[in-house]
Amino acid sequence: MHQHNLFTTMRSLNLAEGCKGTQVYAPPPPHPQQQQPGSNNNNATGGVGDKFLQHLQDHLRVNSIRSKSSRTYPQQSNVAVSPDSLLPLGLPLTDLLEPRIDPSLKFPDLVDEMARVHRRIATSDRSEKSGAYLEQCAVFRGLSDPKLFRRSLRSSRQHAADVHAKVVLSSWLRFERREDELIGTTSMDCCGRILECPKSTLVPGYHPETVYDPCLCSSGSSSIINDVSECSTSEEEEVDYDMSFCIGDEEVRCVRYKIASLSRPFKAMLYGGFNEMKRGTINFTHNGISVEGMRAAEIFSRTNRLLGHDFPPHVVLELLKLANRFCCDELKSACDEHLARLVTTLEEAMLLIEYGLEEAAYLLVAACLQVFLRELPSSMHNPNVIKIFCSVEGRERLASLGHASFKLYFFLSQIAMEDDMKSNTTVMILERLVECAVESWEKQLACHQLGVVMLERKEYKDAQRWFNTAVEAGHLYSLVGVARSKFKRDHRYSAYKIINSLMSDHVPTGWMHQERSLYCSGKEKLLDLDTATELDPTLTFPYKFRAVALVEENQFGAAISELNKILGFKASPDCLEMRAWISIGKEDYEGALKDIRALLTLEPNFMMFNGKIHADHMVELLRPLAQQRSQADCWMQLFDHWSTVDDIGSLAVVHDMLANDPGNSLLRFRQSLLLLRLNCQKAAMRCLRLARNHSKLKHERLVYEGWILYDTGHREEALAKAEESISTQRSFEAFFLKAYALADSTLDPKSAEYVIQLLEEALRCPSDALRKGQALNNLGSVYVDCDKLDLAGDCYTNALNIKHTRAHQGLARVYHLKNQRKAAYDEMTKLIEKAQNNASAYEKRSEYCDREMAQADLSLATQLDPLRTYPYRYRAAVLMDDHKENEAIEELSRAISFKPDLQLLHLRAAFYDSMGEGVSAIKDCEAALCIDPGHTDTLELYHKAREANATDQK
């Protein structure tokens, strides 16, 4: 009987879930079947690519002497449109601006918190290890690097021992890859590793050393089942029955001592002096079990297994009820495990979870929960699932079986807040999260998040109450929420005092100054905002406020320049929106359209102007006012933006092209590469998934799946996808993926030669100029590592010949290694002159000049991109050489305060150690090991500092 029919039957019963080549490219070569008449169809390999490259270079030479307007359609300048018609809500006002409160945990001293978490992980026993890593997840959630969060989540799953924790954490890992968005996949598909295998999660036990091994779910077990069936049949012929159970008019023959062995109640009934002991036939009609169910119980009493007997689900459910009624532990366990194996769809899970909860079947409920969780986020909109997760009764029923945990509601809360911050569902899930919170950090997070949601819903009294509770639990950042809630209720001075007191008690941070600026005015407000930017240049609100203040003074150009400062190193959607908003007021419709297109690439559903107008609608309004370009013109414009390292402009062009060709998987892929270079990983993964879904060719889909796996930390699986793609069809992208994934480790000479071969194979395959430029650039880097400088120089020169601007940096490195320092400096100067975003070029050029010039270049690099850590480390090292230890520590601390980078922490720890400040050195080492527990240099320094500190204490 098919499973679908079995579940249909059940419903009728009344029985009680380095940066990869991140660039954009010129148009790909036409498919052989799409070549123009007269083209040579035999040149389907490298010849086509070479001809295309030559054609593209010729096209560039011709177009370099054309005016820009000759490549575009005439601008519709005769359309009379005023900024007022495009800005029905007017220009932004400073009085309406305020920063959003981060729903994640945030600390006055993040380094201290990271060090504490590392110590907890290092000292916890195996029963606490998973929870310790989950706390680390909560700390990393507020940082900009999603890889840290995913690594901690994998570690938490690795050390999980009980089934519930494995189900939740495995489902969460799957959700982080958003595999639900991949067409052709199902929620119960297995990734091939025990870590996320839906069948392995249902096996209890602590096995941290095997979670990354391949799982066995794909191996067949039908032969075993058949053997069991045959064995039990042969046994049945030899059974010596000595009693019967009468159910209605039918009898089920049994072996008395076998039935008695099922449980103590059965043993007492059959051997304990009751009347049934003397009877050969016992009436069992009114015990809620059918003849078919009793026969199954009889078989289990002899074989001690259900597997292999092909019992229908409704019969197993009857056995489960019987097991509960008569305390048959082994039978219940077998039924539980058997039913758990059957749950594969949301429909089945919804049906079976009620039975599982009623009959206290732990594994069955776990299997149903697993389906619900692996179906997220769509299952979050199922009212029956919501009732189970969100209601007080539902949580209590789950808790009775050990399936209502903080980790479960932590996972659900992240999805609910992302889906709709203000919804009732989000509130109910967070209320359940608070109820499950036990540890201090759990209470801090749960109450703080609930406060943030209440603030968004404008329920300020409740928001203040929850923020206060979080503060009482130890989360000082929630004082920002307390102050904001008071401010919203017109208690401005009270809010000011709260933040002022916080700043008096702790070393002031950027977010403290930012928050205090809301509650003061005039020069004091601007001073706080400037200090906030100085302490934490990644905060977007100060830039936006200063820009809008300039607009109010009618200084539109200065306002745009202010926003350019942060958009030069951080692709922030709210800053892109603000720049577009101001550009419309300035009547720079081309610039506004560019920013809105880039914004939609980051967040496709973005609502502009305080959430009043969809960004897509603004594109339609602005498009007639900007230059109209054909698809070919867009490709050339894309080439120009890439050559000048204008990533925002490149994103805008690709978005424009996708509007005309939304199913173009190559464009989606290139869009994802651009986003990765801008450190927008979430948006990049979405574009990769779209590229995979739109691709009609198997070998292309495999490449995109490989990049998805690689970018989410699954290197071996990515290599397997690349090899499968190559075996299907040799292509540039497949060879490039394989070479890149292999090069993501220290290469020995043999491995380096293999990577070179792969990149050479990639270059023989058809591709476009910009993509080949990246391959040439990567090949040059491998040659440099192999000390083949002449070959490397050739690669970089060839890349520059096809406008791969970044190859200047590689060529400069070759000159430097050849002791041609002046040539290296000049090469980097060329890159600085060409690149729009050139902070990295200034940083690299500093290596090829004297100290004074290097200091100037690095100062400019920090000004352009304060997130680059090398300049801070260089300046700190210079200060240490000059015996200015305190100034060196301050230089590093300045960067660590907003970017707790591994290298910065290690260097500061080394400085502390050299100064004899062992406690500070140990703390920095622990914070660095929280980021990378396997960092060799830090481990050595850590052990050295601890030994020295222990000696000093003696």
Side-chain angles (χ1 to χ4, degrees):
M1 186 184 295
H2 294 294
Q3 188 168 313
H4 175 73
N5 295 331
L6 294 174
F7 281 105
T8 304
T9 304
M10 285 169 57
R11 288 187 197 91
S12 66
L13 297 174
N14 191 20
L15 300 171
E17 219 309 1
C19 176
K20 99 176 99 177
T22 51
Q23 68 261 26
V24 208
Y25 325 93
H31 191 278
Q33 296 177 352
Q34 297 174 337
Q35 292 180 332
Q36 297 298 320
S39 64
N40 185 357
N41 286 333
N42 294 325
N43 279 337
T45 57
V48 174
D50 294 337
K51 288 183 178 180
F52 176 71
L53 296 180
Q54 185 62 47
H55 170 74
L56 183 56
Q57 291 175 51
D58 293 341
H59 186 70
L60 286 169
R61 280 196 293 273
V62 171
N63 279 279
S64 65
I65 58 174
R66 294 185 191 174
S67 66
K68 183 179 279 190
S69 60
S70 66
R71 295 197 321 209
T72 61
Y73 295 110
Q75 185 174 354
Q76 298 182 8
S77 57
N78 58 329
V79 180
V81 177
S82 69
D84 291 342
S85 64
L86 292 169
L87 297 173
L89 303 174
L91 288 165
L93 300 172
T94 53
D95 290 342
L96 299 179
L97 292 177
E98 64 178 49
R100 295 190 67 177
I101 296 177
D102 192 337
S104 304
L105 293 177
K106 210 174 184 74
F107 309 94
D109 187 347
L110 179 58
V111 172
D112 187 63
E113 189 65 23
M114 289 166 62
R116 184 193 63 78
V117 169
H118 172 75
R119 288 195 300 273
R120 181 189 173 188
I121 291 171
T123 58
S124 59
D125 59 34
R126 73 181 205 175
S127 64
E128 298 173 340
K129 192 79 76 175
S130 179
Y133 277 113
L134 191 65
E135 181 180 4
Q136 189 181 57
C137 287
V139 172
F140 284 155
R141 193 68 169 179
L143 302 185
S144 59
D145 187 355
K147 291 180 182 177
L148 293 175
F149 173 81
R150 282 200 298 268
R151 193 205 69 210
S152 298
L153 194 61
R154 282 196 296 271
S155 296
S156 184
R157 164 61 185 93
Q158 178 182 1
H159 292 277
D162 63 278
V163 168
H164 172 77
K166 292 180 179 182
V167 163
V168 173
L169 296 169
S170 293
S171 301
W172 199 342
L173 282 168
R174 181 183 185 276
F175 175 81
E176 286 296 312
R177 287 203 309 279
R178 294 310 301 263
E179 287 200 2
D180 59 289
E181 294 181 5
L182 296 180
I183 294 174
T185 63
T186 68
S187 63
M188 299 304 284
D189 284 347
C190 179
C191 69
R193 301 278 177 184
I194 291 174
L195 189 74
E196 294 181 42
C197 172
K199 293 182 180 178
S200 298
T201 57
L202 298 178
V203 179
Y206 183 74
H207 308 292
E209 67 284 348
T210 63
V211 293
Y212 293 103
D213 293 347
C215 61
L216 302 177
C217 64
S218 57
S219 63
S221 57
S222 57
S223 60
I224 298 173
I225 293 174
N226 289 338
D227 290 344
V228 171
S229 297
E230 291 173 9
C231 182
S232 62
T233 302
S234 61
E235 285 177 6
E236 200 169 296
E237 297 171 357
E238 303 169 4
V239 173
D240 185 16
Y241 296 111
D242 57 0
M243 64 162 293
S244 300
F245 284 100
C246 179
I247 301 174
D249 296 330
E250 296 190 51
E251 289 188 5
V252 178
R253 299 175 67 201
C254 302
V255 179
R256 183 180 291 269
Y257 83 91
K258 291 287 187 179
I259 295 294
S261 67
L262 290 175
S263 69
R264 287 186 177 182
F266 269 122
K267 184 176 181 180
M269 179 177 71
L270 298 175
Y271 288 106
F274 294 97
N275 291 333
E276 287 83 357
M277 184 184 76
K278 303 172 183 177
R279 296 176 185 169
T281 301
I282 299 172
N283 189 341
F284 221 61
T285 302
H286 302 294
N287 282 282
I289 191 165
S290 65
V291 172
E292 193 177 8
M294 199 60 216
R295 288 194 177 120
E298 187 278 323
I299 291 172
F300 180 84
S301 72
R302 289 185 290 103
T303 63
N304 207 35
R305 64 169 62 93
L306 294 176
L307 186 66
H309 296 292
D310 201 24
F311 296 127
H314 70 273
V315 169
V316 181
L317 281 170
E318 285 188 27
L319 287 178
L320 180 61
K321 290 178 72 71
L322 179 74
N324 272 329
R325 173 173 282 191
F326 289 92
C327 304
C328 307
D329 293 339
E330 289 188 11
L331 176 59
K332 178 179 179 177
S333 179
C335 293
D336 194 7
E337 184 177 346
H338 184 90
L339 290 168
R341 292 167 186 251
L342 303 180
V343 188
T344 57
T345 68
L346 187 64
E347 185 182 23
E348 293 164 357
M350 285 307 311
L351 177 66
L352 284 172
I353 194 168
E354 287 301 324
Y355 293 110
L357 289 169
E358 183 177 339
E359 299 300 332
Y362 177 82
L363 279 181
L364 176 56
V365 173
C368 295
L369 281 180
Q370 179 164 244
V371 173
F372 297 157
L373 296 176
R374 292 174 74 94
E375 288 278 357
L376 289 168
S378 60
S379 61
M380 190 70 84
H381 300 284
N382 184 309
N384 294 319
V385 174
I386 290 298
K387 182 180 178 182
I388 291 170
F389 283 142
C390 295
S391 67
V392 175
E393 180 192 0
R395 189 197 72 82
E396 289 175 350
R397 294 180 75 193
L398 291 174
S400 67
L401 287 181
H403 284 300
S405 65
F406 183 85
K407 60 178 68 67
L408 169 65
Y409 286 100
F410 185 13
F411 177 25
L412 293 174
S413 69
Q414 303 310 295
I415 298 170
M417 293 174 72
E418 184 178 315
D419 183 57
D420 185 356
M421 180 79 82
K422 302 177 184 178
S423 72
N424 291 334
T425 297
T426 301
V427 173
M428 289 188 289
I429 285 176
L430 287 171
E431 288 173 343
R432 305 293 82 77
L433 182 68
V434 170
E435 292 167 0
C436 292
V438 176
E439 296 183 36
S440 175
W441 74 269
E442 294 174 346
K443 294 175 183 177
Q444 292 175 31
L445 179 63
C447 296
H448 179 72
Q449 287 188 157
L450 196 47
V452 170
V453 168
M454 290 301 180
L455 193 68
E456 288 288 319
R457 288 162 61 100
K458 300 182 179 180
E459 299 177 22
Y460 301 127
K461 266 191 162 183
D462 285 337
Q464 183 178 331
R465 176 167 59 87
W466 286 115
F467 282 130
N468 271 320
T469 307
V471 172
E472 290 168 4
H475 190 229
L476 292 176
Y477 177 65
S478 293
L479 284 170
V480 169
V482 176
R484 194 77 64 87
S485 302
K486 285 180 173 287
F487 176 64
K488 292 293 185 180
R489 296 167 62 205
D490 297 324
H491 299 153
R492 186 189 188 111
Y493 182 62
S494 179
Y496 179 86
K497 286 201 302 182
I498 288 171
I499 302 302
N500 215 36
S501 175
L502 176 64
M503 295 172 69
S504 299
D505 296 338
H506 299 85
V507 176
T509 63
W511 54 263
M512 292 179 191
H513 281 280
Q514 173 179 270
E515 189 64 24
R516 192 174 68 174
S517 73
L518 295 179
Y519 315 129
C520 49
S521 58
K523 291 182 179 180
E524 190 180 352
K525 176 186 283 285
L526 292 175
L527 181 61
D528 260 338
L529 290 172
D530 290 343
T531 306
T533 298
E534 183 182 343
L535 293 174
D536 186 353
T538 66
L539 296 172
T540 62
F541 174 73
Y543 299 93
K544 289 165 61 180
F545 186 92
R546 288 189 291 264
V548 174
L550 289 165
V551 168
E552 292 176 345
E553 296 175 2
N554 210 32
Q555 299 182 46
F556 286 84
I560 295 292
S561 297
E562 180 64 31
L563 291 169
N564 288 345
K565 292 177 184 176
I566 187 167
L567 287 170
F569 66 89
K570 183 177 182 179
S572 166
D574 57 332
C575 287
L576 283 170
E577 178 206 15
M578 186 61 71
R579 191 167 71 176
W581 199 341
I582 295 171
S583 294
I584 294 171
K586 190 185 174 188
E587 299 187 32
D588 176 12
Y589 304 126
E590 192 82 39
L593 186 59
K594 180 185 79 169
D595 282 343
I596 296 173
R597 287 191 183 281
L599 168 61
L600 283 166
T601 305
L602 295 171
E603 294 190 18
N605 298 316
F606 194 90
M607 300 294 291
M608 296 183 65
F609 311 142
N610 299 320
K612 299 296 191 297
I613 298 176
H614 200 289
D616 264 335
H617 181 61
M618 289 305 301
V619 169
E620 296 304 314
L621 292 176
L622 289 167
R623 199 164 57 170
L625 307 176
Q627 285 185 317
Q628 305 299 301
R629 296 180 176 86
S630 67
Q631 202 78 340
D633 287 330
C634 284
W635 276 112
M636 298 312 302
Q637 188 188 30
L638 183 58
F639 194 97
D640 291 341
H641 282 302
W642 171 247
S643 297
T644 58
V645 197
D646 178 9
D647 299 328
I648 298 295
S650 299
L651 279 181
V653 175
V654 175
H655 185 273
D656 189 11
M657 297 169 77
L658 283 168
N660 299 319
D661 189 7
N664 190 320
S665 59
L666 288 174
L667 282 176
R668 296 284 183 189
F669 177 53
R670 292 161 185 186
Q671 191 178 47
S672 74
L673 300 177
L674 264 175
L675 288 163
L676 281 175
R677 200 174 70 228
L678 287 166
N679 292 320
C680 302
Q681 192 176 54
K682 181 179 177 181
M685 291 299 101
R686 184 185 64 248
C687 293
L688 261 180
R689 291 189 293 270
L690 287 170
R692 183 265 187 196
N693 287 343
H694 285 299
S695 178
K696 296 178 175 60
L697 302 173
K698 180 182 178 181
H699 72 277
E700 280 185 5
R701 286 197 300 273
L702 289 168
V703 168
Y704 302 149
E705 289 170 4
W707 280 122
I708 290 170
L709 288 165
Y710 178 82
D711 288 324
T712 51
H714 297 78
R715 178 173 171 269
E716 296 301 323
E717 290 84 348
L719 281 169
K721 291 286 184 182
E723 290 167 0
E724 186 180 353
S725 178
I726 291 169
S727 67
T728 304
Q729 180 170 326
R730 297 164 64 85
S731 69
F732 174 91
E733 293 299 348
F735 282 115
F736 188 90
L737 168 60
K738 186 174 181 180
Y740 190 87
L742 285 173
D744 184 25
S745 61
T746 303
L747 293 176
D748 55 53
K750 185 177 180 181
S751 300
E753 285 296 329
Y754 186 46
V755 171
I756 288 171
Q757 292 175 22
L758 290 170
L759 288 170
E760 288 174 342
E761 287 292 338
L763 288 164
R764 294 188 189 101
C765 297
S767 188
D768 53 72
L770 293 174
R771 197 59 173 144
K772 289 209 168 185
Q774 179 62 47
L776 286 165
N777 197 62
N778 287 15
L779 182 57
S781 297
V782 181
Y783 277 137
V784 168
D785 293 339
C786 295
D787 204 27
K788 299 179 179 180
L789 299 183
D790 290 336
L791 290 173
D794 292 341
C795 286
Y796 292 128
T797 301
N798 290 334
L800 287 170
N801 288 338
I802 52 176
K803 302 287 186 181
H804 188 75
T805 310
R806 290 171 182 79
H808 282 297
Q809 182 169 318
L811 193 55
R813 185 182 176 200
V814 171
Y815 286 138
H816 175 64
L817 292 172
K818 289 182 175 182
N819 294 318
Q820 301 175 24
R821 200 174 187 196
K822 176 66 166 60
Y825 183 89
D826 292 342
E827 200 65 35
M828 290 308 302
T829 302
K830 293 177 185 177
L831 177 56
I832 288 170
E833 292 169 350
K834 292 179 182 179
Q836 182 169 318
N837 297 321
N838 51 21
S840 63
Y842 278 110
E843 179 184 297
K844 199 66 181 176
R845 191 175 71 170
S846 71
E847 298 178 22
Y848 311 134
C849 54
D850 59 40
R851 177 181 286 192
E852 188 175 337
M853 295 175 68
Q855 291 273 34
D857 273 352
L858 291 174
S859 178
L860 195 49
T862 298
Q863 182 182 333
L864 294 171
D865 184 356
L867 291 175
R868 306 193 71 84
T869 62
Y870 174 75
Y872 301 98
R873 289 186 280 131
Y874 178 90
R875 288 189 291 265
V878 169
L879 289 166
M880 283 297 285
D881 286 344
D882 293 339
H883 303 289
K884 298 178 180 179
E885 291 90 351
N886 292 331
E887 289 90 336
I889 294 293
E890 287 174 8
E891 180 66 25
L892 293 174
S893 300
R894 186 159 65 98
I896 289 170
S897 65
F898 61 86
K899 185 174 182 179
D901 174 78
L902 173 65
Q903 298 296 337
L904 291 171
L905 287 164
H906 174 260
L907 185 58
R908 192 172 71 172
F911 286 176
Y912 276 132
D913 184 61
S914 69
M915 295 162 62
E917 297 187 22
V919 175
S920 296
I922 290 170
K923 184 173 80 168
D924 276 355
C925 283
E926 289 170 340
L929 292 171
C930 187
I931 295 172
D932 182 359
H935 192 249
T936 306
D937 292 341
T938 303
L939 284 168
E940 291 177 0
L941 179 60
Y942 183 46
H943 295 315
K944 174 190 170 187
R946 290 185 68 184
E947 288 173 5
N949 192 56
T951 303
D952 291 343
Q953 287 179 354
K954 288 179 181 177

